[in-house]
């Protein structure tokens, strides 16, 4: 049992012990003895007493060292070696997220995070930021000439029948939000449309466009509103081309963008508008700064909201850099049923009157999952613009899409399936946290534009 190192150690210890005892005897014989005026027998007695102390200490040390296998590691005989190895895991075992040296811990007071509550699925959700450029299709590569042309077309009111509306009338990119702020849009002759105008910001990252996802590209989308009778109301694409030809300023712009020999037609018009729209992107939200490494970019409340957004399952549909299952990054599930769970919200906000991409009369709508970037700036919300408070949208989403409505037994008579739902409705605090998180998806640049636009109207009011 004793190995060589221990034998070596013991021999050194033995020599040290002999020398120690010799020193002790010399001290007693020539120093302590005479000073204490001890007789020879007294000196022997003192030396033996002190020597026994040293000896017993040495013996104790040797016993300990022997059983602990000095200079080895674990005290085997007394402490059972645990059967686990320390592993450096790729994932933080508690949160189920990739391990990193920089952890951010936030105390949740009375609500400790249960591991299984956070890591609902085995693969962790990875948060992503928007790239600085939107991808362009091969048949319409980006050029600055096309962007310049597309921008002019986007702002051109001559492209509407009564020359009152341009794309920017309903998608205000100068004022910031990229939409019109109305529940549903107003086209020419003040006609009221049936759907809310989505923002054009970051539309360039979406795999399908429109609330019902009926357009597969920005090029295809741009041709729609021009001839939509309740939007720009042009009778035909030929008429649109004619309006462009009527304006001599366009001739050099088209020549620069597509070459002087290329005919001006609706396809080139759509390509130029789409190229301009690919510049309307906002990778500069506090959320992006946070994910890129600025851990101070989000408030404590926004972090709680971010966690809820994940654990509740909002990320099941609003995932990836553009917070949408219908994005160019990953378009696995572009369309989703909405509303899924029956609730009183359905009647209150007429959520099933328009069923989007679903067949008429199906009772449940099918809608493209919208991006949530800048969503705090684009109210009123939902396809029919029926909800004017973001808090209410979050409440609706959590109940109609995720079933957070309370405890229910649900019997499906069609499918003969019984389901027990045990998902309490979100508290006001949880909802406010999520709203705060959604606000962190607002671009700094857009907020600045909105402030400037507001400033100029304030000034105009003062001037009157
Ligand atoms: C009268 C207001 C109005 C005008 C003018 C208008 N739009 Fe829209 N836009 C809308 C509405 C409403 C929708 C949603 C319609 C739907 O989903 O059925 C929409 C949808 C879009 C989308 C899809 C966004 C997304 O996330 O799916 C884009 C892109 C867009 N418009 C660009 C344009 C362009 C380019 C023009 C000019 C050629 C234009 N719009 C003119 C109201 C308008
Ligand atoms: C099952 C898929 C699904 C889930 C889960 C889901 N959403 Fe949605 N979300 C959608 C769809 C589809 C729409 C479009 C609804 C419509 O047609 O009006 C939408 C719309 C929204 C809107 C309005 C966007 C706008 O521009 O008007 C917000 C905000 C939103 N969701 C937030 C959330 C939050 C927060 C959660 C988690 C509590 C969540 N969603 C969970 C699919 C989902």
């Amino acid at each position: 049992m004793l190995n060589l190192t221990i034998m070596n150690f013991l021999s050194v210890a033995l020599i040290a012990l002999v020398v120690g005892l010799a020193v002790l005897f010399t001290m007693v014989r020539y120093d302590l003895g005479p000073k204490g005026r001890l007789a020879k027998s007294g000196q022997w007695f003192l030396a033996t007493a002190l020597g026994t102390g040293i000896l017993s200490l040495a013996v104790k040390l040797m016993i300990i060292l022997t059983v602990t296998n000095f200079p080895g590691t674990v005290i085997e005989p007394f402490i059972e070696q645990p059967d686990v190895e320390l592993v450096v895991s790729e994932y933080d075992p508690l949160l189920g997220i990739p391990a990193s040296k920089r952890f951010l811990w936030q105390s949740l007071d009375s609500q400790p995070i249960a591991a299984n509550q956070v890591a609902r699925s085995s693969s962790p959700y990875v948060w992503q930021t928007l790239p600085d450029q939107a991808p362009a299709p091969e048949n319409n590569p980006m050029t600055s000439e096309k962007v310049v042309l597309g921008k002019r077309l986007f702002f051109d009111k001559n492209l509407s029948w009564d020359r009152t509306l341009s794309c920017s009338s309903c998608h205000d990119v100068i004022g910031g939000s990229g939409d019109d702020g109305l529940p549903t849009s107003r086209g020419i002759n003040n006609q009221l449309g049936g759907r809310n105008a989505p923002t054009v910001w970051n539309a360039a990252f979406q795999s399908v466009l429109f609330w019902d996802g009926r357009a597969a590209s920005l090029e295809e989308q741009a041709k729609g509103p021009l001839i939509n009778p309740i939007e720009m109301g042009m009778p035909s694409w030929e008429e649109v081309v004619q309006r462009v030809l009527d304006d001599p300023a366009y001739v050099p712009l088209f020549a620069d963008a597509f070459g002087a020999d290329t005919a001006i037609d609706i396809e080139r018009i759509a390509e130029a508008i789409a190229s301009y729209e690919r510049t309307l992107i906002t990778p500069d939200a506090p959320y992006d700064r946070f994910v890129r490494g600025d851990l101070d970019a989000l408030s404590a409340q926004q972090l709680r909201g971010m966690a809820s957004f994940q654990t509740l399952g909002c990320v099941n549909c609003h995932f990836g850099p553009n917070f949408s299952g219908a994005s160019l990054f990953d378009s696995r599930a572009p369309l989703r049923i909405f509303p899924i769970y029956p609730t009183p919200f359905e009647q209150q906000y007429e959520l099933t009157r328009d069923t989007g991409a679903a067949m008429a009369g199906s009772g449940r709508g099918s809608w493209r999952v919208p991006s949530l970037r800048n969503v705090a700036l684009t109210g009123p919300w939902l396809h029919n613009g029926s909800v004017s408070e973001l808090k209410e949208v979050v409440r609706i989403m959590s109940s109609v899409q995720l079933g957070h409505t309370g405890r229910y037994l649900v019997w499906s008579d069609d499918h003969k399936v019984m389901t027990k739902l045990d998902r309490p409705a979100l508290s006001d605090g949880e909802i406010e946290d999520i709203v705060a998180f959604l606000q962190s998806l607002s671009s700094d640049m857009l907020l600045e534009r909105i402030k400037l636009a507001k400033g100029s109207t304030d000034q105009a009011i003062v001037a009157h």
Side-chain angles (χ1 to χ4, degrees):
M1 196 188 157
L2 295 186
N3 60 29
L4 203 64
T5 347
I6 290 169
M7 289 308 286
N8 288 344
F9 174 77
L10 286 183
S11 43
V12 173
L14 209 65
I15 293 168
L17 188 68
V18 171
V19 173
L21 285 175
V23 170
L24 177 77
F25 276 91
T26 319
M27 256 172 62
V28 172
R29 175 76 183 79
Y30 297 105
D31 191 47
L32 292 178
K35 273 187 189 155
R37 295 203 190 119
L38 296 176
K40 251 229 156 84
S41 58
Q43 288 185 8
W44 272 113
F45 182 74
L46 181 61
T48 316
L50 292 176
T52 321
I54 291 184
L55 253 176
S56 64
L57 187 69
V59 170
K60 278 180 202 162
L61 269 174
M62 278 185 210
I63 292 175
I64 290 175
L65 290 177
T66 312
V67 298
T68 59
N69 230 352
F70 181 88
T73 45
V74 184
I75 311 180
E76 275 172 278
F78 300 129
I79 301 174
E80 225 171 74
Q81 195 170 7
D83 203 17
V84 284
E85 265 180 63
L86 264 185
V87 274
V88 180
S89 153
E90 202 182 322
Y91 295 109
D92 177 60
L94 178 64
L95 296 174
I97 57 176
S100 130
K101 288 205 186 77
R102 297 193 296 170
F103 273 114
L104 210 57
W105 292 96
Q106 201 196 335
S107 156
L108 289 171
D109 301 329
S110 58
Q111 304 166 268
I113 310 178
N116 60 357
Q117 190 190 339
V118 175
R120 236 190 200 180
S121 62
S122 53
S123 57
Y125 181 73
V126 179
W127 298 87
Q128 297 170 69
T129 62
L130 267 191
D132 291 335
Q133 276 185 341
E138 257 170 46
N139 56 8
N140 187 22
M142 291 288 278
T143 64
S144 50
E145 290 79 7
K146 270 191 253 179
V147 171
V148 170
L149 170 62
K151 183 170 181 182
R152 190 185 165 101
L153 291 163
F154 193 89
F155 285 92
D156 192 346
K157 290 186 174 171
N158 287 322
L159 302 188
S160 63
W161 182 239
D162 60 3
R163 302 179 198 266
T164 57
L165 294 181
S166 70
C167 309
S168 81
S169 307
C170 301
H171 303 286
D172 176 14
V173 288
I174 302 298
S177 60
D179 66 356
D180 55 12
L182 300 170
T184 60
S185 293
R186 283 200 179 275
I188 58 162
N189 299 325
N190 230 2
Q191 296 174 91
L192 198 59
R195 288 184 188 165
N196 175 263
T199 182
V200 282
W201 291 105
N202 307 307
F205 292 112
Q206 292 301 79
S207 58
V208 291
L209 297 146
F210 288 124
W211 282 101
D212 51 11
R214 66 185 180 278
S217 69
L218 286 175
E219 284 79 357
E220 183 186 337
Q221 192 285 326
K223 296 191 285 185
L226 295 164
I227 55 164
N228 185 324
I230 57 169
E231 291 188 343
M232 298 167 86
M234 295 296 283
S236 68
W237 285 324
E238 288 72 38
E239 289 289 337
V240 177
V241 174
Q242 193 52 51
R243 290 279 174 95
V244 171
L245 292 172
D246 288 347
D247 183 345
Y250 276 119
V251 178
L253 292 178
F254 270 92
D256 288 349
F258 296 104
D261 300 338
T262 309
I264 296 178
D265 61 14
I266 191 65
E267 301 304 331
R268 304 294 91 73
I269 291 172
E271 281 171 15
I273 293 176
S275 295
Y276 169 61
E277 287 176 310
R278 292 197 173 95
T279 66
L280 303 176
I281 63 171
T282 64
D284 66 333
Y287 162 82
D288 297 284
R289 281 189 273 121
F290 175 78
V291 176
R292 290 199 188 100
D294 174 4
L295 297 187
D296 295 327
L298 299 189
S299 69
Q301 186 183 30
Q302 289 173 325
L303 288 173
R304 288 199 303 271
M306 183 172 172
S308 298
F309 192 85
Q310 176 181 332
T311 55
L312 288 170
C314 308
V315 292
N316 293 349
C317 296
H318 301 281
F319 57 81
N322 213 23
F323 290 83
S324 165
S327 81
L328 290 172
F329 305 101
D330 182 346
S331 192
R332 262 173 302 169
L335 300 183
R336 290 302 187 108
I337 293 171
F338 169 86
I340 298 174
Y341 295 97
T343 65
F345 290 128
E346 220 166 280
Q347 287 213 315
Q348 189 181 350
Y349 296 108
E350 302 194 318
L351 299 181
T352 49
R353 207 160 72 140
D354 183 350
T355 51
M359 278 185 301
S362 64
R364 289 267 157 291
S366 175
W367 299 96
R368 189 262 324 247
V369 178
S371 163
L372 298 184
R373 285 201 170 258
N374 303 304
V375 73
L377 311 176
T378 60
W381 292 273
L382 300 181
H383 63 265
N384 56 7
S386 58
V387 186
S388 55
E389 255 199 289
L390 192 51
K391 264 179 78 167
E392 184 75 348
V393 185
V394 173
R395 198 183 296 283
I396 293 172
M397 275 287 138
S398 66
S399 53
V400 309
Q401 296 303 80
L402 291 162
H404 276 273
T405 44
R407 312 186 67 186
Y408 291 105
L409 290 180
V410 182
W411 167 248
S412 162
D413 200 36
D414 282 349
H415 302 100
K416 312 296 174 201
V417 169
M418 173 72 95
T419 313
K420 191 175 172 191
L421 287 182
D422 190 358
R423 299 181 202 162
L426 269 56
S427 69
D428 284 345
E430 278 174 298
I431 288 181
E432 276 158 22
D433 290 351
I434 296 174
V435 168
F437 172 62
L438 293 178
Q439 279 160 349
S440 82
L441 306 179
S442 296
S443 144
D444 292 339
M445 184 258 294
L446 292 197
L447 287 171
E448 194 56 34
R449 284 190 190 208
I450 289 169
K451 214 165 80 184
L452 282 175
K454 195 171 173 292
S456 57
T457 43
D458 286 352
Q459 268 171 11
I461 292 165
V462 172
H464 269 82

